[in-house]
Amino acid sequence: MTGGTLPPAHGMGNLSTLLKRLEAATSRLEDIAMAQAVAPPNAVSGASALVPSGSASTSPVVGGAAVGAAAGIAAATAVEDAPAVQGYDTLINGPLATYLALSNELGGLTAQQATFVAQAFQAQRTYLEFASACTKLDPSSPTFAERLGPTSKAIMDANDIKDKNRGSSEANFLSTVSEGLPALGWVQVEPKPGPHVNEFKEAAAFWGNRVIKANKESNPKAAEWAKTYVELLEELRKYVMQYHTTGVSWNPKGADPKTYKGSSSSATAVSGAPAPPPPPPPPPPAPVTPSAGTPSPKAAATGDMSAVFASLNQGEGVTRGLKKVDKSEMTHKNPELRSSGVVGAVGAQIPSSAKGPVKPPKPSSFQKKPPKTELERNKWIIENHENSDLIEISNTEISQTVDIFNVKSSVIKINGKVNAISMVNSTKVQILLDSTVSSLAISASPSFTVQILGKVPTILIDGTDGGQVYLSRESLDVEIITAKSSAINVSLPVDGEEAGVFEEKAVPEQLKTVVKNGKLVTTVVEHSG
């Protein structure tokens, strides 16, 4: 043997090792081929785990399919398993599911209202999934309102149940849910949505305490229901603080929100199969119906009715080929045309006397005006708002007044002490205020709710049906003057009870007047029994 020649044993060892590696690679490739032949198309991605790191170049087709499927799964997971969406699923499957189960056990209007609560939470879950897949959407965009529409509708439906059943024995149950559900409006609040949720949670807790107090002994299930709903809102607040501290978390690398179509593409990506072909183009428009008296040549020659049926199948479009008949050409309104049998030519000038009156424009007082919230000199003006979750006034001064006009289904919060507050021609408005120097005046504003946190010397209520006033301990010496009003209730804090427990008293509506010594003496009619 020369020094430059390898020993035979060493060369055989290398050859044996090479053969073993080739056999192992062949065996793995056979396993992959068998798995692809047996497994369904959506399991192709699972075969990618069988491909060794060094065999990608050996089988480019199998390796490419596996990599494509894995990339599709990763893309789908990025949307479906976003942490914010997972956290919201935990909220739905936990506290919300418990609340819905208890609502179904209680039954009645409470269970009916709970269906809208479930719809509201599910609609918001869809919106959060949309946000996790898209870049931030401009709030002024029509797409923004369109995406929030299902949530808003469910909230309004739940509130309608409360408004239509104020005299029901379940009124406090319905108010608990209705007052707390607008907390879902946090998706429109920046940069601190957490306090928004907390505010409505406290409003729900106020009514929930009534439910607990009335049913603590007689119906423990109802008391548990109230606690569960308040806990649901508290868990929502914690979720918002964890995942959306300064507002809804969007995906800076996501899709365009205006063209985003949902998760259908994600399902296609997970399967690893190619996308389905696009749908066929719409059918060509049906032929225009020929005018009366001029049948088509084919129909006239052969008597074929297929063209007639095809034109009738257009639906509403069947009349688009007809000409509008002017009043001057109508024989039933112009008897002289009956005797002559001749109708004026198309395009002939119509006498000015035959033209109908011009419809006057809609009065400006009936046109919807834009909402307004601003300070003019020393007067805060709030008007023309509708379905606003929160209208808040801050940095107030003792010399300023607040005028509320034409506001519907909205919540108004007035921070600080002001001179006076007045509300006129508003419906279903809730006011939370601190204190006033002089008075709170409410006129022609049915179904209002006012809660006073500080002190108000005088409350004036005129021409209003349905209202609720919650007094603080500082305002127990208030003077309440009512005129032409009904169904006004005043809730007083209960001594010895925790904060938020009130006792409701009704303002008298029935009066008795008698003549004594030449004078009229009026007293409140009291009913016994």
Side-chain angles (χ1 to χ4, degrees):
M1 274 188 305
T2 60
T5 305
L6 290 174
H10 186 67
M12 291 298 295
N14 286 342
L15 182 58
S16 175
T17 302
L18 181 59
L19 289 174
K20 289 181 179 179
R21 293 179 61 185
L22 288 175
E23 289 176 358
T26 303
S27 177
R28 286 179 178 271
L29 291 175
E30 290 175 350
D31 291 340
I32 293 172
M34 292 178 63
Q36 288 178 336
V38 175
N42 59 359
V44 173
S45 60
S48 62
L50 301 175
V51 180
S53 59
S55 62
S57 60
T58 307
S59 180
V61 177
V62 177
V67 171
I73 293 174
T77 304
V79 176
E80 295 179 1
D81 296 334
V85 179
Q86 286 184 348
Y88 204 80
D89 286 340
T90 302
L91 181 71
I92 291 178
N93 297 329
L96 178 62
T98 303
Y99 155 76
L100 295 176
L102 289 173
S103 299
N104 290 333
E105 291 183 20
L106 294 176
L109 295 172
T110 302
Q112 182 180 349
Q113 190 184 43
T115 60
F116 295 115
V117 176
Q119 292 176 14
F121 273 85
Q122 185 59 41
Q124 185 159 95
R125 197 261 184 205
T126 302
Y127 179 81
L128 294 176
E129 184 178 5
F130 159 74
S132 68
C134 300
T135 56
K136 187 172 183 179
L137 181 63
D138 185 1
S140 63
S141 170
T143 307
F144 186 80
E146 178 184 346
R147 291 286 180 174
L148 291 178
T151 307
S152 301
K153 183 181 184 302
I155 294 175
M156 294 302 297
D157 289 342
N159 190 65
D160 286 344
I161 293 182
K162 180 203 74 172
D163 292 339
K164 293 177 181 178
N165 299 277
R166 291 184 178 272
S168 169
S169 59
E170 301 178 50
N172 287 342
F173 292 78
L174 304 179
S175 296
T176 301
V177 174
S178 179
E179 296 298 325
L181 196 56
L184 294 179
W186 67 266
V187 295
Q188 304 181 63
V189 179
E190 290 182 350
K192 296 180 179 181
H196 173 86
V197 178
N198 188 65
E199 180 177 348
F200 286 97
K201 183 205 74 174
E202 292 177 352
F206 167 77
W207 290 96
N209 289 334
R210 286 188 166 194
V211 176
I212 294 173
K213 183 178 179 181
N215 298 276
K216 186 181 300 182
E217 303 296 336
S218 60
N219 189 0
K221 186 71 69 176
E224 181 184 358
W225 173 90
K227 294 178 181 178
T228 300
Y229 183 72
V230 176
E231 289 173 0
L232 168 62
L233 298 180
E234 173 61 17
E235 291 301 319
L236 176 63
R237 185 192 68 82
K238 293 179 180 178
Y239 163 81
V240 172
M241 295 301 294
Q242 180 178 356
Y243 294 101
H244 310 277
T245 308
T246 59
V248 175
S249 297
W250 297 84
N251 188 347
K253 298 181 181 180
D256 183 356
K258 296 182 180 179
T259 59
Y260 180 73
K261 298 298 183 182
S263 58
S264 59
S265 60
S266 298
T268 302
V270 171
S271 66
V288 178
T289 307
S291 57
T294 57
S296 62
K298 181 178 179 180
T302 64
D304 187 9
M305 296 296 292
S306 60
V308 178
F309 288 115
S311 63
L312 292 177
N313 288 335
Q314 297 179 62
E316 295 181 358
V318 70
T319 60
R320 64 183 180 182
L322 301 179
K323 182 181 75 69
K324 184 177 181 180
V325 180
D326 192 84
K327 291 182 179 179
S328 63
E329 300 174 348
M330 297 180 182
T331 56
H332 67 284
K333 291 190 176 182
N334 298 276
E336 64 275 6
L337 296 179
R338 303 176 191 170
S339 57
S340 63
V342 178
V343 180
V346 178
Q349 186 175 2
I350 301 173
S352 58
S353 59
K355 295 183 179 180
V358 179
K359 187 176 181 180
K362 199 171 185 180
S364 59
S365 59
F366 289 95
Q367 296 177 359
K368 190 173 182 179
K369 299 180 180 179
K372 179 180 179 181
T373 303
E374 63 183 32
L375 177 63
E376 295 182 358
R377 296 184 180 180
N378 65 336
K379 180 186 296 184
W380 283 97
I381 298 178
I382 304 174
E383 59 183 21
N384 304 323
H385 287 270
E386 186 172 356
N387 299 327
S388 296
D389 291 336
L390 179 62
I391 305 168
E392 187 169 3
I393 295 179
S394 302
N395 301 323
T396 57
E397 297 178 2
I398 200 171
S399 61
Q400 296 174 349
T401 61
V402 180
D403 290 350
I404 304 169
F405 175 75
N406 193 30
V407 178
K408 299 179 182 179
S409 303
S410 300
V411 178
I412 301 174
K413 183 178 181 182
I414 304 173
N415 298 311
K417 189 173 185 179
V418 296
N419 187 283
I421 301 173
S422 67
M423 179 170 65
V424 180
N425 195 26
S426 299
T427 305
K428 296 181 181 179
V429 176
Q430 304 176 39
I431 302 177
L432 179 65
L433 62 100
D434 287 336
S435 302
T436 65
V437 176
S438 57
S439 64
L440 165 66
I442 300 173
S443 176
S445 300
S447 303
F448 73 89
T449 302
V450 172
Q451 183 167 2
I452 301 171
L453 303 179
K455 182 176 177 62
V456 174
T458 306
I459 299 177
L460 307 173
I461 304 175
D462 181 28
T464 299
D465 295 328
Q468 190 82 25
V469 179
Y470 297 92
L471 299 178
S472 64
R473 297 186 187 276
E474 300 176 29
S475 296
L476 291 180
D477 57 346
V478 66
E479 293 183 355
I480 302 177
I481 302 174
T482 62
K484 296 185 292 182
S485 301
S486 62
I488 307 298
N489 297 318
V490 179
S491 295
L492 310 176
V494 180
D495 293 333
E497 294 286 348
E498 59 184 359
V501 178
F502 291 80
E503 183 179 7
E504 186 175 272
K505 302 289 186 180
V507 176
E509 299 176 23
Q510 192 171 7
L511 305 176
K512 179 177 69 175
T513 302
V514 298
V515 180
K516 286 187 178 181
N517 301 324
K519 297 182 179 180
L520 297 179
V521 179
T522 302
T523 57
V524 176
V525 176
E526 297 182 356
H527 298 275
S528 59

